[in-house]
Amino acid sequence: MWSVVRSQSPWRSAVKTLGCSTARHAIRGNQRVLRTVQRSKTSSSTGGSSIVKNVEKNQKQLVRTVSTAKPTSQSVIQASAAAAPQQAYKAPPAEVSKVAPQPKPVVLPDYVVMDGNHAAAYVAYALSETSFIYPISPASSMGDHMDNWAATGKKNILNQIVDVNMMQSEGGAAGALHGAVAAGSLTSTFTASQGLLLMIPNMYLLAGELMPTVLHVSARTVSKHALSIFNDHSDVMATRQTGFAMMCSSNVQEVMDQGLVAHIASLKTRLPFVHFFDGGRTSAEMSKIRPITYESMKEIFPMDALKSHIRDFALNPTNPMIRGTGQRPDIFFQSTVAAHKYYEAAPRLVEETMEEVAAITGRPLKLFNYHGSPSAERVAVIMGSASKTMEEAVDYLNTQGENVGVVAVQLYRPWSSKHFLAALPASVQKVAVLDRTREDGASGMPLFLDVNVTLSDEGSQKLITGAQYGLASKEFTPAMCKAVFDNLSAENPRKKYVIGINDDVTGTSLPYGAPINTVPPGTKQCAFWGLGSDGTVGASKTAIKTIGLNTDMFAQGHFVYDSHKEDGVTVSHVRFGPSEIKAEYCIASDADFISCAHPSYVHKYDMLSTLKKGGTFVLNSPWNTLADMDRKLPATLKRQIAEREAEFYNIDAIALARDIGLGKRINMPMQACFYDLSGVLPVEEALKLLKTAIVDQYAHKGPEVVKKNQEAVDRAVGSLKKIEYPREEWLSVQTGGQKKKRSEMEGSSKFVMDIMGPVLALEGDKLPVSAFEPGGYMPVGTTRFEKRAIAPEIPVWVPDKCTQCNYCAIVCPHAVVRPFLLDKGEMKAAPSGFQTRKAKGGAESAGMNYTIQISSYDCTGCAVCVQSCPDDALYMAPFEKVAEDNAPHWDYAYALPEKEIGEKYTVKGSQFQKPLLEFSGACAGCGETPYMKLATQLFGSRMVVANASGCSSVWGGTATTNPYTVTKDGSGPAWGRSLFEDNAEYGFGMALGTKQRRYRLEDCVQNALATTSGGHELREALTKWLKVKDDPDPCDAISHKIIELLSSQRELTGLDVNFETIYQQKDMLRTQSHWIVGGDGWAYDIGFGGLDHVLSRGENVNVLVLDTEMYSNTGGQVSKATQLATVTKFAAKGKRQNKKDLGQAAMLYENVYVASVALGANMNQCVQAFRDAESYDGTSLVIAYAPCIDWGIEMKFMMDEMRKAVDSGYWTLYRYDPRRTEAKQNPFQLDSRKLKSDLKEFLVGQNRFERLVRLNKDTASSLHTDLSNVSHHRHEKFRKLAMDEYEMLEYLKTKLGEEVSTEKSIVLYGSETGNAEALAGVFSNELKRRGVRPQCMALDDFDFDTLQNFKNVYCIIATCGQGELPGNCKEFWKLMNDANLDNDFLANVNYTVFGLGDSGYVFYNEAATLFDKKFEELGGKRIMPLALGDDKDDEK
């Protein structure tokens, strides 16, 4: 504002250079300043009067000039500061600078609120005919906007709907973009980080062929020692050599304006452009901006350049040419340099385009934007969002008597030394260049080198320092800006340094001071602390839109997340104010309003250190009285509240949301509290606007969700309670609530105490460089120290109802529900209240007691265990009521010795194995983690995991909180991640590397045995190892013995050189189980080429695909695994293609083990598939159906959704085992033989399919019918594939109406844990060996109506719990009890029943007894009497 007041440049000249529209914009700004100063009480002072007179004079001159001036759009824009004579900078009078504009309640319809990605996509859509998209954080939403607009029929400036295409990878998007431009089309794409790097080969081609196009890039860190999805410029800097022009935008408004410049300038210059802005900061920052209308864009769109620079160069058979030839050394160099003239002309053409855009917006644009004192001696040079922070700091420092400025680089390539020097005040003596990237080993960073060369070429002797800052979104604050300028003033300034961290190893860091408040007066700062998925971030965005569009205030929002997939901490940093907000950093001081959405945060985070005196603090907790607060709040928090004289309020938003039916989504109650207390808008008006916003925000989720959220708003304000605390007492209080510590950090490692602890407390910024191990290596098993305590409710075990099936444990996504077996000694030592019951089962569990324990402080409250329990032996209870009492029981059970009891390859037995994946950061109710957890229970002690980037790498490999853990002997999964696209190759390489190392060990062992005499026992052990080295269990046993013998002999007498060589390679003695793990985006799309190659090679690796049918990690975009008719991101109109069948593609090789599993549909089939896959000496592929919260389902019903998917034919269970071919058996086994429900009914329960119904009922009906037909066709195809020759013959005879055999036999089973199924398989094979060819299937998979057609029926059935039927025979039993069946229905059927049960249960073999009796009642003839097997029989 004050730059307008103090400017002395001639206004008439400004009008001529800026054009009328820009001048009118200046007039309006001048009028606002005039009114503000006139209202000020200080305007009567000398300084104020002088300013008023100058403003009035300039205003009159402006109005006269505009009335006579002719508009121009081709002029050169010059800043008034640059036109002013060089003189000492004078800050405005202090009393005037305190005047703050008052917000006016005027609706400005030309303003919008959007983030940077939205702004970039808005421009790209206008100026594209085609667009090729692929999801990658933080750029994904740009593609999502493009797809949504195309789906709704939005037109670009050429009156076309843009053809938006999702590709299989960023490389694919770049290739398609290259082709589209080659065909003469306007096109664009969007990417970041590794995605941009994958485009580099095509970028060289596009630049080399002079093809105009624009890549919009949300700049992001390139993965090095670790993956990071946060901002710096390492990705764009890696492409500066490609020949692309590069433009950088600093805030959301610039993204809009300069995005348009990039598209138009690309056409004019014939150069492709990278338009980049800071990912996660600018890309996701919500800001109030003025958009550019498509009509205005069309006015300046260069149709002539479109024709001459794209259309005329299109590959077209009407006017053929050749492009992309191969050139020899004789001409390549010359051809390259021939394009140099385009790069020389580009800065001038970009500047011209900026003038044209400025003419339609009134916002000046420059290649290098200078801000600060016209006579500055010290200047910073910088790019991106940090330039706005630097501008804010420069304004503040200049009011403090400094004389500084900043140059923001807008056009980075081609670099224009001429324009840079013109932007730099002649008075500058010292320059600090700041790079947001790091090139290890370089003499200087990219921007630093560019500035050095420019000034060197001019013969300048200016001091130039180089700084690196902000890597991976490390905060860059005004205090750091001040340190940069202070360094320039130092007697011996640091020439090269880093800022923002403490480098106590190599000493390269520059110290900086405490936070300084540089935001404009009148700015309100609010911090909303939320729990991931509780809606806080979404509500904050709604507030920004509501206030921004319904007041005259500017608005800005930045959102911080931790690395948990869900239920992690979020902090929404929101600012409102009467002036432009340039604060591109988190709120560090002087917050007006802070809210806390979860009571556990009061013990975890320092939330109130940023609250200003007299600010407002709202807590969501069940503590509604002062006594509760006094008891629960920690002493430090109480002192902070008192010291800041905070207005303190509480609301039990969780109870309110639960009562309404919103679960844990408390965003609307908390937002209503904000409007009630903040005073930003009149309360009634604000709540009305909030309820309108709810419709916009949740309409796609259905009317019931809208209604519940609106009710939450109505009830929230009345539930808000002010806490009148005793301030004097709290100022010095030393007592209060303590964080409940359960097996926590005090007794843990140095890593957990010194690194993980501060990181979890959001204080990782304070850690010095010396705290970290170079290379990014971190220890495993650290999540057990986290104890998040985030669940509003947790499960409670009811022992007397429990049948000890262990279902609750196998389905638990976070391994917080576990069964334990205790011997008598352990029972005696158990803490008070520790509940157990006598263990059920065979001799292996005799004398044991059984218990289920829940880790209260690790549970996420998903309730999957409760919904999956067949016996109602679990219920959900409020965390506050049960967690503390249950915690000692968990601690005791968790510390018990691990027991190897029973057969681990069963549902029940597997859950007595320690899960080596525990307490991950996955979403509550995650559908992926149960599969990986199961794999670690079966093979974890010898697993090597190659993990593709995606959800599974986030919950499996987030720094410091590492969920993969170890067994009692310290072995466990070794986990690594490479990239998204190359995971199959990465895992393949690890397997081959290990294989080669074991070959060498084998040679060493054979050499030692042949040439070295040694102890008989050692030689015997090594000889045995050679025989069993590839057989896991015996190899493990003998390996441990070899290591003991070698170690013992080494200590006593030392080892012969050959044995010493073996000892040094002892880590290769045990077999390793190599697993390649990732989601469907990797396996079906970007990584499919590599995966297919690995599948073809036949190496002994196991591939696990966690199929969520979308790109879950980037927000739920469409993949080739997405099913027909799904509405998801990048498929806004519903996917129109069938799902790719990865399993069938793999089976074509015929030597790959393939399984399709769904844990909730058939737990035993899943366990057996994992066992078979890992034991197969070759390549295996397990495709696991993994429900995701992005489907729009309640995750507590996750396992039910799996069952419904299989019953309806949506998902098929099968196993393809090449080993069966060698045994003359059909390798393909269909494990879901019968469709039991209608697929359309299944679709109704999922929002991803229901959304299409709401969008277009006719289209939905058509696509759902198509999907149903496809599913039935696939099931019929699989059913035939599972038939052997005889079954196929009978099937064909039946189809043709020919007579079939009447001597048919069938083995039917009812199995819950897999024992009855396994026995049925053995019995079926025995019949075949004796010349009988029976079918074998689950009772519910059998067509009951055809039972009369079978001569012999063999029924093997287990009994569950207290006399219940197994889940896969209940439908058959229901049909058997049909009252309409005749008594002689089975008169021609011979049958026998064999039961599996446990005599320890009251209803011993109840199921078998019932079936035997019913067969008899329906007229069946017994082959032999009912036979009953007892699990307690030693010879079972």
Side-chain angles (χ1 to χ4, degrees):
M1 178 181 76
W2 295 116
S3 62
V4 178
V5 175
R6 63 174 177 261
S7 173
Q8 302 298 314
S9 60
W11 285 104
R12 187 180 302 276
S13 174
V15 173
K16 290 180 179 178
T17 58
L18 292 175
C20 291
S21 63
T22 306
R24 290 191 182 96
H25 180 72
I27 291 172
R28 290 194 294 270
N30 210 38
Q31 288 172 337
R32 285 196 295 270
V33 174
L34 180 60
R35 287 196 300 270
T36 300
V37 176
Q38 286 173 334
R39 285 197 300 266
S40 172
K41 294 179 181 179
T42 62
S43 63
S44 59
S45 68
T46 303
S49 299
S50 173
I51 291 171
V52 170
K53 291 176 181 177
N54 283 333
V55 172
E56 289 174 338
K57 179 180 178 182
N58 289 335
Q59 184 73 14
K60 292 175 182 177
Q61 192 174 23
L62 266 171
V63 172
R64 287 197 303 271
T65 305
V66 169
S67 65
T68 58
K70 294 182 180 180
T72 176
S73 61
Q74 301 296 323
S75 55
V76 178
I77 300 175
Q78 299 176 353
S80 58
Q86 298 295 320
Q87 56 187 4
Y89 175 75
K90 295 182 179 180
E95 65 271 18
V96 178
S97 65
K98 294 178 182 178
V99 177
Q102 298 300 310
K104 298 188 300 179
V106 177
V107 177
L108 299 173
D110 54 341
Y111 274 117
V112 296
V113 172
M114 61 174 63
D115 61 29
N117 279 353
H118 190 164
Y122 174 84
V123 172
Y125 194 92
L127 292 121
S128 298
E129 295 170 305
T130 57
S131 186
F132 301 94
I133 60 178
Y134 187 80
I136 182 170
S137 298
S140 300
S141 65
M142 288 187 278
D144 192 33
H145 287 304
M146 298 289 284
D147 180 63
N148 284 332
W149 291 328
T152 57
K154 183 183 179 75
K155 301 289 184 66
N156 62 14
I157 65 168
L158 301 179
N159 202 36
Q160 287 182 300
I161 298 172
V162 179
D163 187 2
V164 181
N165 292 272
M166 159 85 170
M167 299 304 291
Q168 87 287 3
S169 69
E170 292 91 352
L177 177 137
H178 184 197
V181 184
S185 175
L186 289 169
T187 190
S188 59
T189 190
F190 318 90
T191 192
S193 194
Q194 271 79 226
L196 180 61
L197 269 57
L198 285 173
M199 294 181 175
I200 285 178
N202 278 106
M203 292 176 71
Y204 274 102
L205 293 171
L206 287 158
E209 296 176 359
L210 297 173
M211 289 185 161
T213 189
V214 179
L215 278 61
H216 294 276
V217 178
S218 294
R220 171 189 139 185
T221 307
V222 175
S223 297
K224 296 177 65 178
H225 61 282
L227 175 144
S228 175
I229 62 169
F230 301 100
N231 163 245
D232 60 37
H233 299 159
S234 57
D235 54 356
V236 290
M237 289 301 167
T239 67
R240 66 188 188 278
Q241 77 281 10
T242 61
F244 263 62
M246 302 174 72
M247 290 195 69
C248 179
S249 292
S250 305
N251 60 20
V252 179
Q253 184 68 70
E254 283 186 11
V255 172
M256 173 77 68
D257 298 348
Q258 295 191 161
L260 178 58
V261 171
H263 277 271
I264 293 177
S266 181
L267 284 170
K268 290 183 176 181
T269 62
R270 285 191 67 190
L271 300 181
F273 270 64
V274 164
H275 171 225
F276 69 96
F277 41 92
D278 289 351
R281 167 57 72 176
T282 308
S283 72
E285 178 183 293
M286 299 292 291
S287 187
K288 180 178 179 178
I289 69 167
R290 289 185 184 271
I292 306 172
T293 66
Y294 281 16
E295 292 76 13
S296 296
M297 293 183 193
K298 192 171 182 179
E299 289 176 14
I300 63 171
F301 182 76
M303 293 298 295
D304 54 343
L306 172 62
K307 181 181 185 303
S308 60
H309 290 170
I310 291 189
R311 306 292 203 223
D312 289 351
F313 286 95
L315 292 177
N316 190 313
T318 303
N319 188 23
M321 68 177 75
I322 293 176
R323 172 180 278 156
T325 62
Q327 292 185 352
R328 289 169 45 79
D330 56 344
I331 63 172
F332 185 89
F333 198 164
Q334 301 94 302
S335 297
T336 299
V337 176
H340 183 61
K341 62 183 180 180
Y342 293 98
Y343 291 90
E344 286 189 322
R348 174 181 57 80
L349 293 171
V350 173
E351 185 176 48
E352 175 187 285
T353 305
M354 285 180 162
E355 295 165 11
E356 294 171 350
V357 172
I360 65 172
T361 65
R363 294 183 290 273
L365 296 170
K366 293 181 280 292
L367 305 189
F368 296 89
N369 185 51
Y370 178 76
H371 182 91
S373 167
S375 59
E377 295 184 351
R378 290 169 292 148
V379 166
V381 181
I382 197 167
M383 281 194 293
S385 61
S387 68
K388 296 302 178 185
T389 298
M390 188 67 83
E391 287 181 13
E392 184 184 83
V394 162
D395 289 342
Y396 169 81
L397 293 172
N398 284 339
T399 63
Q400 303 299 306
E402 302 277 4
N403 191 21
V404 295
V406 57
V407 174
V409 180
Q410 311 290 65
L411 180 69
Y412 179 57
R413 286 290 184 271
W415 177 267
S416 175
S417 296
K418 171 186 173 183
H419 289 86
F420 174 76
L421 293 170
L424 204 65
S427 55
V428 172
Q429 299 299 313
K430 300 176 181 179
V431 179
V433 185
L434 292 90
D435 278 273
R436 199 162 199 163
T437 189
R438 183 176 179 86
E439 185 180 337
D440 290 307
S443 61
M445 298 305 108
L447 183 57
F448 172 77
L449 294 178
D450 289 326
V451 172
N452 261 284
V453 171
T454 297
L455 295 177
S456 175
D457 288 348
E458 287 295 303
S460 171
Q461 299 300 311
K462 293 178 173 61
L463 170 69
I464 308 171
T465 65
Q468 298 156 46
Y469 74 98
L471 294 191
S473 291
K474 178 69 75 176
E475 283 285 274
F476 184 67
T477 66
M480 297 175 196
C481 298
K482 182 178 184 301
V484 169
F485 287 115
D486 288 347
N487 179 62
L488 290 177
S489 298
E491 184 177 349
N492 294 301
R494 298 284 296 272
K495 297 293 183 64
K496 297 177 184 178
Y497 56 88
V498 299
I499 189 163
I501 63 171
N502 175 16
D503 178 8
D504 58 343
V505 175
T506 56
T508 63
S509 56
L510 184 71
Y512 57 94
I516 53 178
N517 184 19
T518 60
V519 296
T523 303
K524 278 190 175 291
Q525 302 190 101
C526 310
F528 302 93
W529 290 71
L531 182 71
S533 79
D534 71 355
T536 297
V537 171
S540 300
K541 291 181 179 180
T542 300
I544 294 166
K545 291 180 181 179
T546 301
I547 295 171
L549 298 179
N550 291 279
T551 72
D552 205 13
M553 286 191 283
F554 289 87
Q556 177 209 62
H558 175 63
F559 311 97
V560 177
Y561 310 83
D562 74 2
S563 294
H564 294 93
K565 285 301 300 178
E566 190 186 64
D567 296 322
V569 64
T570 67
V571 188
S572 301
H573 296 267
V574 179
R575 294 181 174 100
F576 307 104
S579 306
E580 180 185 359
I581 299 169
K582 297 183 178 182
E584 300 292 336
Y585 51 90
C586 297
I587 296 168
S589 65
D590 297 276
D592 297 271
F593 182 95
I594 294 176
S595 70
C596 171
H598 201 277
S600 69
Y601 289 3
V602 301
H603 299 287
K604 296 178 182 179
Y605 308 115
D606 180 12
M607 295 180 290
L608 295 194
S609 61
T610 61
L611 187 68
K612 75 176 186 181
K613 195 168 186 178
T616 300
F617 175 49
V618 177
L619 174 65
N620 163 45
S621 80
W623 315 320
N624 287 313
T625 66
L626 177 60
D628 289 337
M629 292 297 175
D630 212 31
R631 188 173 66 256
K632 295 289 187 178
L633 296 187
T636 52
L637 182 62
K638 287 189 280 189
R639 289 197 297 271
Q640 285 180 319
I641 291 171
E643 289 164 359
R644 286 159 176 77
E645 300 179 16
E647 297 288 313
F648 181 24
Y649 295 85
N650 186 73
I651 181 174
D652 192 350
I654 292 177
L656 177 62
R658 187 189 302 130
D659 184 52
I660 294 172
L662 290 173
K664 61 184 178 183
R665 294 189 67 85
I666 61 169
N667 51 330
M668 288 308 159
M670 296 300 287
Q671 202 62 210
C673 295
F674 165 70
Y675 282 123
D676 183 52
L677 299 173
S678 66
V680 177
L681 286 170
V683 176
E684 288 189 11
E685 179 187 353
L687 297 183
K688 182 179 179 181
L689 290 169
L690 179 58
K691 292 169 85 170
T692 301
I694 286 171
V695 177
D696 296 335
Q697 189 173 352
Y698 294 115
H700 70 283
K701 294 190 175 182
E704 189 63 27
V705 174
V706 171
K707 180 182 176 182
K708 289 178 179 179
N709 277 278
Q710 290 182 335
E711 183 183 349
V713 170
D714 290 334
R715 292 174 55 180
V717 175
S719 302
L720 185 65
K721 295 183 179 180
K722 186 171 184 179
I723 306 298
E724 300 289 355
Y725 57 91
R727 181 172 180 271
E728 292 302 321
E729 180 184 328
W730 278 19
L731 278 170
S732 58
V733 69
Q734 298 298 318
T735 59
Q738 299 292 319
K739 181 179 180 182
K740 305 300 185 295
K741 298 186 180 296
R742 296 289 161 227
S743 304
E744 222 172 315
M745 295 184 183
E746 282 74 5
S748 60
S749 68
K750 181 177 175 61
F751 172 86
V752 173
M753 288 292 294
D754 295 348
I755 298 179
M756 178 179 166
V759 168
L760 291 180
L762 301 186
E763 295 180 351
D765 285 322
K766 299 177 182 178
L767 294 174
V769 171
S770 61
F772 298 94
E773 179 73 20
Y777 304 101
M778 291 196 174
V780 298
T782 57
T783 48
R784 65 191 177 97
F785 300 109
E786 191 172 7
K787 306 301 174 192
R788 292 193 285 161
I790 57 172
E793 295 181 318
I794 59 174
V796 176
W797 183 50
V798 184
D800 290 335
K801 291 186 177 182
C802 181
T803 57
Q804 303 182 14
C805 64
N806 286 355
Y807 287 3
C808 56
I810 199 171
V811 303
C812 178
H814 292 81
V816 301
V817 181
R818 299 191 198 176
F820 296 93
L821 292 172
L822 291 79
D823 60 29
K824 292 180 180 178
E826 291 163 344
M827 282 296 300
K828 289 181 180 178
S832 175
F834 191 90
Q835 295 195 76
T836 66
R837 292 297 183 268
K838 183 179 179 182
K840 308 291 184 182
E844 67 274 5
S845 59
M848 296 282 189
N849 273 45
Y850 175 95
T851 185
I852 288 285
Q853 293 298 327
I854 291 95
S855 181
S856 305
Y857 293 93
D858 297 301
C859 181
T860 62
C862 68
V864 172
C865 58
V866 174
Q867 292 299 322
S868 301
C869 178
D871 307 309
D872 295 327
L874 291 164
Y875 68 93
M876 299 299 289
F879 178 89
E880 286 288 322
K881 293 184 178 180
V882 297
E884 182 62 13
D885 291 339
N886 287 349
H889 304 155
W890 167 264
D891 290 345
Y892 178 73
Y894 187 81
L896 290 172
E898 297 170 26
K899 297 180 177 68
E900 300 289 337
I901 295 176
E903 171 56 54
K904 72 176 181 179
Y905 295 113
T906 64
V907 175
K908 183 174 181 177
S910 66
Q911 296 314 295
F912 289 123
Q913 308 297 312
K914 179 181 179 180
L916 301 185
L917 173 69
E918 59 181 10
F919 320 136
S920 74
C923 298
C926 175
E928 294 185 343
T929 49
Y931 295 109
M932 199 62 197
K933 182 190 69 171
L934 175 62
T936 68
Q937 290 173 296
L938 300 178
F939 328 110
S941 64
R942 50 192 171 85
M943 287 181 78
V944 179
V945 180
N947 211 128
S949 295
C951 278
S952 55
S953 71
V954 176
W955 54 250
T958 292
T960 75
T961 50
N962 303 313
Y964 289 99
T965 189
V966 298
T967 63
K968 59 188 176 185
D969 64 1
S971 61
W975 186 94
R977 179 199 54 80
S978 180
L979 298 171
F980 193 18
E981 62 272 13
D982 72 344
N983 187 53
E985 299 93 320
Y986 176 58
F988 183 71
M990 284 200 288
L992 289 187
T994 300
K995 182 180 178 180
Q996 195 68 7
R997 290 185 64 195
R998 293 197 88 215
Y999 279 158
R1000 180 172 184 272
L1001 175 60
E1002 183 180 358
D1003 290 343
C1004 292
V1005 170
Q1006 290 174 337
N1007 183 57
L1009 291 173
T1011 62
T1012 306
S1013 60
H1016 172 74
E1017 191 175 7
L1018 177 57
R1019 293 179 63 85
E1020 188 177 70
L1022 288 171
T1023 301
K1024 184 175 181 181
W1025 180 85
L1026 288 171
K1027 296 178 180 178
V1028 301
K1029 61 183 176 63
D1030 296 322
D1031 193 353
D1033 291 336
C1035 181
D1036 274 7
I1038 199 64
S1039 296
H1040 285 302
K1041 185 174 182 180
I1042 290 170
I1043 293 171
E1044 288 177 6
L1045 292 170
L1046 287 171
S1047 300
S1048 176
Q1049 187 172 326
R1050 196 169 186 261
E1051 287 185 14
L1052 291 174
T1053 62
L1055 291 173
D1056 173 273
V1057 63
N1058 290 322
F1059 287 135
E1060 178 65 27
T1061 302
I1062 295 171
Y1063 181 82
Q1064 295 300 328
Q1065 300 176 74
K1066 62 182 181 295
D1067 61 330
M1068 288 288 106
L1069 285 168
R1070 298 175 64 223
T1071 57
Q1072 294 184 9
S1073 181
H1074 284 266
W1075 287 80
I1076 299 170
V1077 180
D1080 52 272
W1082 158 69
Y1084 288 72
D1085 284 2
I1086 193 170
F1088 176 71
L1091 175 59
D1092 179 62
H1093 184 75
V1094 170
L1095 292 175
S1096 74
R1097 292 298 301 275
E1099 289 292 337
N1100 192 2
V1101 294
N1102 309 287
V1103 180
L1104 174 60
V1105 178
L1106 302 166
D1107 193 348
T1108 63
E1109 302 192 320
M1110 60 175 60
Y1111 284 78
S1112 298
N1113 194 47
T1114 52
Q1117 290 81 12
V1118 67
S1119 78
K1120 291 189 188 69
T1122 305
Q1123 191 54 273
L1124 177 71
T1126 305
V1127 175
T1128 188
K1129 292 179 180 178
F1130 295 9
K1133 293 190 294 185
K1135 187 168 181 254
R1136 304 304 170 94
Q1137 300 82 31
N1138 292 333
K1139 175 173 180 165
K1140 177 178 179 177
D1141 198 324
L1142 183 63
Q1144 285 201 80
M1147 284 187 279
L1148 290 174
Y1149 287 114
E1150 296 189 349
N1151 67 339
V1152 178
Y1153 178 93
V1154 184
S1156 174
V1157 302
L1159 183 63
N1162 191 329
M1163 295 177 186
N1164 179 62
Q1165 186 261 0
C1166 184
V1167 173
Q1168 301 314 310
F1170 272 84
R1171 179 198 63 184
D1172 296 344
E1174 204 274 343
S1175 66
Y1176 178 60
D1177 187 15
T1179 308
S1180 71
L1181 170 65
V1182 178
I1183 307 169
Y1185 186 64
C1188 176
I1189 194 170
D1190 283 336
W1191 291 3
I1193 61 173
E1194 276 196 79
M1195 293 310 294
K1196 67 179 179 180
F1197 299 119
M1198 169 181 69
M1199 293 295 158
D1200 290 333
E1201 290 296 327
M1202 293 191 199
R1203 177 184 54 77
K1204 292 175 182 177
V1206 171
D1207 286 351
S1208 65
Y1210 181 88
W1211 185 269
T1212 307
L1213 304 181
Y1214 62 80
R1215 287 170 284 172
Y1216 178 90
D1217 191 342
R1219 289 170 294 194
R1220 289 173 59 88
T1221 303
E1222 300 170 7
K1224 308 299 182 184
Q1225 297 175 320
N1226 187 342
F1228 184 81
Q1229 299 169 269
L1230 182 60
D1231 295 313
S1232 54
R1233 288 174 173 259
K1234 183 180 178 182
L1235 302 185
K1236 303 171 186 177
S1237 63
D1238 181 59
L1239 184 132
K1240 291 183 180 180
E1241 293 180 5
F1242 166 73
L1243 301 180
V1244 169
Q1246 299 194 15
N1247 192 54
R1248 56 178 175 155
F1249 295 109
E1250 277 292 281
R1251 284 180 65 184
L1252 189 59
V1253 177
R1254 295 193 291 272
L1255 288 171
N1256 190 316
K1257 287 186 177 181
D1258 292 338
T1259 300
S1261 177
S1262 175
L1263 289 180
H1264 290 178
T1265 299
D1266 290 346
L1267 177 55
S1268 181
N1269 293 337
V1270 167
S1271 299
H1272 280 82
H1273 173 72
R1274 182 180 65 247
H1275 184 267
E1276 184 65 13
K1277 179 172 63 177
F1278 281 146
R1279 199 165 73 87
K1280 288 187 282 188
L1281 187 61
M1283 296 177 183
D1284 60 24
E1285 292 88 343
Y1286 290 94
E1287 290 173 319
M1288 178 58 73
L1289 179 61
E1290 291 204 352
Y1291 171 82
L1292 292 174
K1293 284 183 176 180
T1294 302
K1295 282 283 186 181
L1296 296 171
E1298 296 182 9
E1299 184 177 347
V1300 297
S1301 170
T1302 58
E1303 291 293 326
K1304 294 195 296 183
S1305 298
I1306 188 164
V1307 179
L1308 298 172
Y1309 58 85
S1311 181
E1312 192 74 22
T1313 61
N1315 291 331
E1317 180 182 356
L1319 183 59
V1322 171
F1323 182 70
S1324 179
N1325 289 333
E1326 184 63 25
L1327 289 175
K1328 290 178 182 178
R1329 195 174 68 83
R1330 295 169 184 252
V1332 179
R1333 303 198 61 83
Q1335 297 180 42
C1336 181
M1337 66 184 72
L1339 283 152
D1340 279 356
D1341 286 338
F1342 180 71
D1343 185 354
F1344 182 80
D1345 292 335
T1346 67
L1347 187 59
Q1348 294 173 302
N1349 300 333
F1350 286 82
K1351 183 68 175 177
N1352 300 306
V1353 177
Y1354 307 93
C1355 186
I1356 300 175
I1357 185 165
T1359 297
C1360 304
Q1362 300 301 326
E1364 295 188 13
L1365 301 180
N1368 60 1
C1369 69
K1370 291 181 178 179
E1371 185 63 29
F1372 188 97
W1373 177 248
K1374 181 180 177 181
L1375 294 171
M1376 286 189 83
N1377 285 275
D1378 187 345
N1380 295 320
L1381 291 179
D1382 296 331
N1383 291 337
D1384 59 352
F1385 177 70
L1386 299 179
N1388 296 319
V1389 175
N1390 301 317
Y1391 78 93
T1392 189
V1393 177
F1394 182 80
L1396 280 73
D1398 185 333
S1399 58
Y1401 287 85
V1402 175
F1403 298 96
Y1404 171 58
N1405 267 313
E1406 179 75 4
T1409 303
L1410 290 172
F1411 269 83
D1412 180 73
K1413 183 177 180 182
K1414 182 54 66 174
F1415 270 106
E1416 181 183 32
E1417 290 176 357
L1418 294 176
K1421 299 179 179 63
R1422 281 193 180 89
I1423 299 173
M1424 59 176 288
L1426 171 65
L1428 303 177
D1430 189 353
D1431 198 34
K1432 291 196 177 300
D1433 191 334
D1434 289 338
E1435 298 181 5
K1436 68 177 185 294

